[in-house]
Amino acid sequence: MQLFFYQYELQLKHQFTLSSSSRKSTPAVMTEITHEGVTGYGEASMPPYLNENYETAIKFLSKINLSQFKDPFLTEDILEYFDSIDKGNFAVKASVDIALHDLIGKLTALPLYKMWGLNKFNAPNTSFTIGIDTPDIIKQKIDEASSFKILKIKLGSENDKKIIETIREITDVPICVDVNQGWNNKDFALDMINWLSDKNILFVEQPLPKELMKESAWLKEKSPLPIIADEAVQTSSDILKIRDLYHGINIKLMKCGGLRTAREMIYLAKELGLKVMIGCMTETSCAVSAAAQLSPLCHWADLDGNLLIKNDLFDGMKIIDGKITLNDLPGIGIEKKFIS
Ligand code: MG
């Protein structure tokens, strides 16, 4: 087996604003693992708050020696080896995990969801994310998102109520709210959630900073809406720490290191009675389609990252009438676009 990789800058269609930051592009590294003429594709998307960048990704990938493995189906051995190279580096580990899964899917001519025994028709609707913006721009973005059955709205600015009121003037589609740790005390958070509770809101993601553990447990108990952990949960071991603080978790391949860990997290969280959402960063159709293979196991999905960029390199999973629609291509279900 051989590994190839290259840097790729994901260009965003709209400036993307969260409670803590704003940006127009996201650095990514694309990976490819080839074996006997077959290529599996992977991707690491590295938004700034994950502490990974081109330099750390290239450094990690340069240490990988895949020629020692003759059999790509020894995925446990190979993924253990990636893990042993260095701590952290979750996004770049996800990129090689995705490429390896894509490769074994292609070698067996099966989509991953089939290898895992999942029913693709159980894939959920995905939400479509609207960043923090002025009312006029928000109206325009909602127009563009009219085919989606769920909107994800970023809150955590001074205009939170205005943003929700603006949206509710236009549409009564269900909304997930993502605060990205932007409300910094529990009483304010509970007031806001009470205010939101009769506005057809599905759940509130990461209302408080992840460090406020006692306050999060208090909020879980009092909140009329489910509270979902995103920044507070990265990988499997975090689930045990936060199980009493949140009603559910948002799993992302770039946070947890890939499909193997994400699958493990889904089963563990469900066993503990937590709701599971599968999410993404701004990504091409490569990483989004990989995550979509797991979506039939999840209660909610937020897999719109490929729709937020201008320079997707792949065709893959499609959203049809708001629903994640898996194709029958082998592996993660993508084809590289011909770009001249
Ligand atoms: Mg989030």
Side-chain angles (χ1 to χ4, degrees), residues 148 165 192 244 251:
F148 289 85
E165 281 163 354
M192 278 302 296
D244 297 326
I251 296 171

Side-chain angles (χ1 to χ4, degrees), residues 292-303:
Q293 300 290 321
L294 288 168
S295 69
L297 284 169
C298 302
H299 301 98
W300 297 302
D302 180 32
L303 294 180

Side-chain angles (χ1 to χ4, degrees), residues 165-180:
E165 281 163 354
T166 301
I167 294 163
R168 280 294 171 250
E169 283 167 20
I170 310 168
T171 172
D172 57 4
V173 68
I175 290 175
C176 338
V177 160
D178 188 358
V179 190
N180 292 106

